[in-house]
Amino acid sequence: MAGPDKPYRVYKSGRTLGRVPLRSKPGSRPRGSRDGDGRKPETTRPKRPRRRWGWGRRIGVGLAVVVLLVVVWGVLSVLSFRGGVAKANKRVGFATKAALNNQDSLLLSNPSDILLLGTDHANSDARANDQHSDSIMLVRTDPSHHRIAYLSIPRDLRVEIPGHGESKINSAFQIGGPSLAIRAVRHFTGLPINHVVAVDFSSFQQLIDDVGGITVDVPAPILSNRFDCPYASAARCARWPGWRFRKGLQHMDGHRALIYSRIRENRLNPAESDVTRAERQQHIVQATLRKLASFSTLVKAPFDAGKYVRPIATDLSAWQLVQLGWVYKRAGRVLHCRLGGSASSVGGESVIVPTQENFAVVHMVTGQSAPQPPPPGSGPYGPGCVVGNRSIGR
């Protein structure tokens, strides 16, 4: 007989029938519970949202990459440059180094006198075996006054060659090489020669091409005599007037710069002399130095730095050349000077006999007196100085 309804309900065997009421929501398990096989269920953790890089972080990483590239570039440049300079140092003999006035102080803060000897053994005037120095220039740096002085020495200047009597100063290079040339210049000027740089102009052509050409300020129009004719036909070369250079700034490749440095005769100005030719060579050297210090050249330094010193032989170390580069960049005043005298003839040979004004020019170079141009009436070989990049006597 059925009894009355109970106020509660009885559940049977919930584990078996699967009707046990769940405290949690269906489909979820409390943390730490186990499945029927005794293993803990895998817990699903919510994924953290990715954080995007902010501008500050991007800029920081970019700067770090740039610094790394600069460091790598610098190391490669130094290694390439040091290797090239080491080869240039080996081209300087022991006698040449012994003839120099030793300088232990930094070039960054102390005056230095550097003798620049330019030779051109491949000239087309049948002087291929001639070892005369075609260009002789003394460069004096004065970092404390931000000043550089270029002293041009005419190759026909008649001076005392130590141990060999009086002769043209350029003959010292042929008789005893750079060492005797150093002694001859020091004996005549009284200036110490701390370093030497010998430049082969016939190899300078490739260097100028390597740096992408140079810009030269030609002071006056030029029409040269007929040398190094660019045509293969003799008949066409006979009609060819010669090399032409207009006045003003001109971009030159290696070949044209070499032609400019070799011009001995300007048919538009018969008053030009061998001194003018030496000035043109110095224009080429100075324009090349400016290009070597330019940003475009520095960018290519890791690949080409070793090539830049191929045409030279020098005792200057890589660190000293770097110091000179910095002194050159900081120089605010440039002085162009030349020694000279009067034209004469000794034994049938054309020479320049030095005058007393040369001693005054040396004082101008060292800063002991104010620069003065050549005296009026001193002729094409008059000694003197000018400030800036203009040519002497123009």
Side-chain angles (χ1 to χ4, degrees), residues 46-318:
K47 293 184 177 179
R48 295 181 180 179
R50 281 189 172 181
R51 294 177 59 186
R52 294 186 177 182
W53 284 12
W55 282 108
R57 192 173 183 183
R58 292 179 183 180
I59 293 174
V61 172
L63 289 175
V65 172
V66 170
V67 170
L68 179 61
L69 291 176
V70 170
V71 170
V72 173
W73 169 86
V75 170
L76 293 177
S77 300
V78 169
L79 293 177
S80 177
F81 183 62
R82 285 181 60 185
V85 173
K87 293 179 181 178
N89 294 155
K90 292 179 180 178
R91 292 191 281 269
V92 178
F94 176 79
T96 301
K97 294 179 180 178
L100 296 169
N101 296 90
N102 188 33
Q103 184 180 31
D104 296 327
S105 55
L106 288 174
L107 276 66
L108 284 172
S109 55
N110 294 275
S112 181
D113 294 276
I114 305 163
L115 182 62
L116 179 64
L117 301 171
T119 61
D120 189 5
H121 303 323
N123 207 332
S124 59
D125 56 3
R127 294 171 64 243
N129 296 322
D130 196 344
Q131 299 297 311
H132 286 73
S133 49
D134 291 306
S135 178
I136 307 172
M137 181 170 62
L138 188 67
V139 182
R140 181 177 176 85
T141 63
D142 190 356
S144 59
H145 295 90
H146 304 292
R147 183 173 176 269
I148 292 181
Y150 298 94
L151 177 61
S152 177
I153 305 174
R155 64 184 192 134
D156 291 340
L157 191 67
R158 186 173 174 84
V159 301
E160 179 74 22
I161 307 296
H164 298 275
E166 289 192 351
S167 183
K168 291 182 177 181
I169 194 168
N170 72 326
S171 65
F173 191 88
Q174 184 178 35
I175 297 171
S179 61
L180 187 56
I182 291 169
R183 292 164 55 198
V185 172
R186 180 172 54 226
H187 180 77
F188 182 73
T189 63
L191 295 173
I193 310 298
N194 305 118
H195 304 284
V196 64
V197 178
V199 180
D200 185 358
F201 279 102
S202 61
S203 302
F204 227 57
Q205 175 177 343
Q206 184 59 49
L207 169 61
I208 293 172
D209 288 334
D210 288 340
V211 299
I214 57 176
T215 300
V216 179
D217 190 1
V218 180
I222 297 172
L223 175 61
S224 75
N225 55 348
R226 297 182 182 91
F227 74 96
D228 285 0
C229 177
Y231 303 111
S233 168
R236 191 169 185 183
C237 285
R239 298 191 303 269
W240 175 61
W243 297 100
R244 290 183 180 272
F245 291 86
R246 59 176 175 79
K247 180 181 179 179
L249 292 174
Q250 298 180 45
H251 186 79
M252 302 182 186
D253 60 8
H255 179 257
R256 190 159 177 82
L258 186 62
I259 292 295
Y260 180 75
S261 70
R262 286 176 171 173
I263 295 174
R264 294 181 177 273
E265 177 186 348
N266 182 6
R267 293 157 64 185
L268 300 180
N269 185 4
E272 288 193 3
S273 62
D274 198 61
V275 172
T276 314
R277 175 176 176 263
E279 289 181 358
R280 283 194 280 266
Q281 291 179 337
Q282 292 161 20
H283 293 163
I284 296 297
V285 172
Q286 293 167 23
T288 305
L289 291 176
R290 286 195 296 270
K291 190 60 179 286
L292 286 172
S294 66
F295 178 77
S296 60
T297 303
L298 292 176
V299 169
K300 300 185 294 182
F303 313 100
D304 297 330
K307 300 178 183 178
Y308 299 156
V309 291
R310 284 187 307 189
I312 72 172
T314 182
D315 68 295
L316 289 161
S317 66

